[in-house]
């Protein structure tokens, strides 16, 4: 679903600032357990290829190399001492982590000849772990050129890691205060970071995952052969920030089946995640649909009746849940089927659907109440059709590739050249 509508400006032939992208993510559609990967790819697919260079960990390149049109990349070593996956590791891994980060912080990236040859005009730092934060900080200090910071979730909220020469909070504080502008995954994240780090009036662009508006109606919008079961679909990774909510819905659907309702839950995820939760899910008769390639996701999802978003009710995940809008939300909107977001009332996904009136929310952990919500979805097709129709309209007007990418590239251009 990467790409944009036909009327989008041809940015590939525009002269845009030479951008050095620093992140643990590569410009690849592969989800590889990280749904943020397709988001980053979608955002920069149309950036001029000769004006973008990726600076990514060697481990990322090996696992998930960049793809066309942006294959230009160089790597940094992100691990000098391996972590141990045994009891010994429980004792020494935290010390090895500190050593790795300390070495990462002490190395000089200025010696990377390819970066010198590229001569970047602006940096975009998109850290999703400590290594991206450290390298982004170092590069921002050494290059002395304008930089933008892009956070996709609030992982820095509870991380107190420290190493020789710095720590999470001091590096985050510097990057947020010294950046010429912010790019954030949601308004909620921007508000939380501005308050916590006391940053006022920083130029900020909210950049959700941009998706293609289908030229033809998705399969879900046209008549289909009759199917025995009302199909609820969940697509994506199953992290601890999703699992408890997903299991609640699975149990509720299982109970509906026991009452004679023709409904099923199908989960599209990688074998890695399925193996972790398979025993819990299969006891509720959840169907495993495997991992769907990103380019095929829309057509696959459009064959379901209800698309499920899950965020954890565990307060330990609140800092992430309340500010991060999941990639799957805008993907789901393009599929032409209604969305149900199950999670706490403060969930960014729930609040987004309520704000735009383009989906349904379930903010309870009560199995009977979840059953009632799903049963209403099954028995009110007119309401479901109206909801999915609104989602497509909201997507086209506010979160399509054309809208999001135009705003993003203009934001980069404005703040890179203004600062110079």
């Amino acid at each position: 679903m990467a790409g944009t509508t036909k009327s989008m400006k041809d940015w590939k032939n525009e002269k845009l600032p030479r951008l050095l992208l620093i992140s643990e993510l590569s410009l690849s559609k592969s989800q590889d357990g990280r749904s943020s990967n397709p988001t980053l790819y979608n955002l920069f697919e149309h950036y001029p290829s000769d004006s973008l260079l990726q600076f990514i960990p060697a481990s990322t390149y090996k696992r998930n190399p960049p793809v066309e049109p942006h294959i230009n990349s160089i790597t940094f070593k992100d691990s000098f001492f391996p972590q141990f996956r045994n009891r010994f590791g429980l004792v020494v891994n935290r010390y090895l982590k500190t050593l790795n980060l300390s070495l990462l912080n002490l190395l000089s990236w200025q010696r990377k000849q390819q970066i010198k040859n590229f001569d970047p005009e602006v940096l975009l730092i998109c850290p999703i772990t400590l290594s991206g934060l450290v390298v982004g900080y170092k590069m921002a200090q050494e290059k002395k050129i304008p930089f933008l910071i892009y956070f996709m979730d609030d992982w820095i909220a509870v991380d107190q890691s420290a190493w020789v020469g710095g720590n999470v909070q001091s590096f985050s504080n510097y990057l947020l205060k010294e950046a010429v502008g912010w790019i954030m995954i949601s308004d909620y994240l921007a508000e939380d970071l501005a308050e916590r780090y006391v940053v006022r009036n920083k130029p900020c662009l909210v950049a959700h995952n941009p998706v293609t508006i289908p030229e033809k109606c998705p399969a879900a919008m046209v008549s289909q052969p009759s199917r025995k079961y009302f199909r609820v679909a969940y697509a994506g990774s199953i992290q601890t920030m999703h699992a408890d909510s997903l299991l609640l819905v699975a149990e509720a659907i299982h109970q509906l089946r026991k009452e004679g309702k023709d409904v099923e839950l199908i989960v599209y995820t990688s074998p890695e995640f399925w193996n972790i939760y398979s025993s819990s899910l299969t006891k509720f008769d959840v169907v495993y649909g495997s991992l769907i390639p990103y380019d095929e996701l829309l057509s696959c999802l459009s064959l379901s009746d209800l698309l499920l978003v899950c965020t954890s009710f565990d307060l330990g995940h609140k800092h992430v849940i309340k500010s991060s809008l999941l990639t799957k939300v805008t993907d789901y909107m393009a599929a032409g089927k209604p969305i149900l977001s199950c999670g706490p009332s403060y969930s960014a996904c729930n609040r987004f659907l309520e704000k735009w009136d383009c989906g349904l929310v379930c903010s309870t952990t009560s199995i009977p109440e979840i059953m009632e919500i799903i049963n209403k979805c099954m028995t009110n097709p007119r309401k479901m059709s109206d909801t999915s129709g609104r989602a497509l309209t909201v997507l086209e007007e506010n979160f399509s590739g054309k809208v999001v990418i135009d705003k993003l590239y203009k934001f980069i251009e404005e703040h890179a050249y203004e600062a110079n």
Side-chain angles (χ1 to χ4, degrees):
M1 287 185 288
T4 56
T5 55
K6 281 187 174 181
S7 59
M8 179 185 149
K9 180 177 180 179
D10 185 10
W11 285 104
K12 292 180 180 179
N13 295 317
E14 292 291 313
K15 184 182 184 301
L16 288 174
R18 291 185 301 279
L19 175 71
L20 181 64
L21 174 60
I22 304 164
S23 181
E24 300 90 329
L25 302 171
S26 66
L27 294 183
S28 166
K29 301 178 197 178
S30 172
Q31 297 182 64
D32 190 34
R34 290 174 171 173
S35 57
S36 42
N37 246 114
T39 296
L40 205 62
Y41 177 90
N42 290 350
L43 287 171
F44 286 96
E45 181 185 7
H46 294 269
Y47 205 88
S49 58
D50 60 351
S51 295
L52 194 153
L53 178 65
Q54 299 169 72
F55 195 29
I56 58 178
S59 60
T60 294
Y61 189 88
K62 180 179 180 180
R63 181 186 67 248
N64 194 16
V67 299
E68 294 287 357
H70 294 300
I71 59 174
N72 296 329
S73 63
I74 56 174
T75 64
F76 60 86
K77 189 172 183 178
D78 54 327
S79 179
F80 304 90
F81 299 97
Q83 301 280 294
F84 293 92
R85 298 176 179 272
N86 52 32
R87 291 183 181 179
F88 181 63
L90 296 176
V91 178
V92 302
N93 279 350
R94 62 191 182 104
Y95 299 107
L96 294 175
K97 173 184 171 183
T98 300
L99 283 172
N100 278 325
L101 292 169
S102 298
L103 285 171
L104 202 57
N105 186 44
L106 292 172
L107 293 178
S108 174
W109 304 115
Q110 194 76 302
R111 287 176 286 193
K112 286 284 186 180
Q113 190 60 45
Q114 286 171 278
I115 294 178
K116 289 184 180 180
N117 294 341
F118 180 67
D119 190 24
E121 297 173 285
V122 61
L123 308 178
L124 176 60
I125 303 166
C126 179
I128 64 167
T129 68
L130 293 170
S131 61
L133 186 75
V134 171
V135 175
Y137 173 87
K138 289 290 292 183
M139 190 64 73
Q141 288 212 317
E142 291 184 9
K143 296 305 291 183
K144 303 298 182 186
I145 60 175
F147 70 88
L148 300 160
I149 184 73
Y150 182 15
F151 277 111
M152 292 189 172
D153 62 57
D154 197 5
W155 64 270
I156 61 175
V158 295
D159 198 319
Q160 299 300 324
S161 299
W163 49 87
V164 175
N167 58 70
V168 170
Q169 296 309 317
S170 65
F171 277 27
S172 300
N173 184 67
Y174 174 86
L175 291 173
L176 288 164
K177 288 185 174 177
E178 298 302 320
V180 295
W182 292 1
I183 303 170
M184 297 288 161
I185 202 69
S186 72
D187 293 311
Y188 316 120
L189 180 56
E191 292 165 3
D192 286 353
L193 293 178
E195 181 178 354
R196 187 186 316 143
Y197 293 95
V198 194
V199 181
R200 300 285 181 254
N201 302 317
K202 183 69 69 172
C204 181
L205 176 73
V206 173
H208 298 310
N209 174 44
V211 297
T212 300
I213 305 300
E215 293 183 17
K216 297 181 179 179
C217 290
M221 302 290 285
V222 298
S223 60
Q224 298 179 34
S226 59
R227 181 174 4 94
K228 179 180 179 182
Y229 287 105
F230 181 92
R231 179 179 292 169
V232 182
Y234 174 89
S237 60
I238 309 175
Q239 308 278 6
T240 53
M241 61 178 283
H242 314 117
D244 62 322
S245 177
L246 178 61
L247 290 171
L248 286 170
V249 174
E251 184 177 354
I253 290 176
H254 181 68
Q255 292 299 324
L256 285 169
R257 287 166 65 92
K258 289 173 67 175
E259 292 182 359
K261 305 292 185 181
D262 291 331
V263 56
E264 68 177 2
L265 172 60
I266 184 167
V267 170
Y268 300 104
T269 191
S270 70
E272 174 190 358
F273 289 119
W274 178 257
N275 290 338
I276 293 172
Y277 293 99
S278 61
S279 61
S280 299
L281 291 168
T282 53
K283 76 177 182 181
F284 295 131
D285 298 323
V286 175
V287 178
Y288 179 43
S290 75
L291 180 64
I292 306 300
Y294 191 69
D295 283 339
E296 300 172 18
L297 187 60
L298 188 149
S299 58
C300 177
L301 292 176
S302 67
L303 298 175
S304 296
D305 300 291
L306 184 66
L307 305 179
L308 182 63
V309 178
C310 292
T311 47
S312 177
F313 288 90
D314 185 340
L315 289 175
H317 297 293
K318 184 175 181 178
H319 61 286
V320 174
I321 298 304
K322 73 174 184 175
S323 60
S324 183
L325 182 70
L326 301 181
T327 295
K328 61 171 57 69
V329 172
T330 47
D331 281 335
Y332 282 2
M333 292 168 73
K337 280 298 180 179
I339 303 167
L340 174 65
S341 180
C342 183
S345 58
Y346 55 76
S347 164
C349 297
N350 287 30
R351 289 191 285 171
F352 177 89
L353 294 178
E354 289 177 323
K355 173 184 176 180
W356 294 99
D357 190 24
C358 61
L360 308 169
V361 300
C362 171
S363 299
T364 177
T365 59
S366 165
I367 297 299
E369 290 181 33
I370 298 173
M371 292 170 62
E372 183 179 355
I373 291 170
I374 294 172
N375 190 51
K376 286 181 178 178
C377 293
M378 297 171 62
T379 57
N380 196 339
R382 180 181 292 276
K383 181 178 180 180
M384 296 298 97
S385 178
D386 290 346
T387 299
S388 57
R390 282 196 301 274
L392 280 169
T393 299
V394 169
L395 181 68
E396 182 174 12
E397 294 177 353
N398 300 275
F399 307 110
S400 66
K402 170 181 167 44
V403 173
V404 176
I405 288 173
D406 279 358
K407 288 181 179 179
L408 174 63
Y409 295 179
K410 289 175 183 177
F411 187 82
I412 293 172
E413 187 175 38
E414 175 185 352
H415 294 288
Y417 290 147
E418 265 193 8
N420 285 326

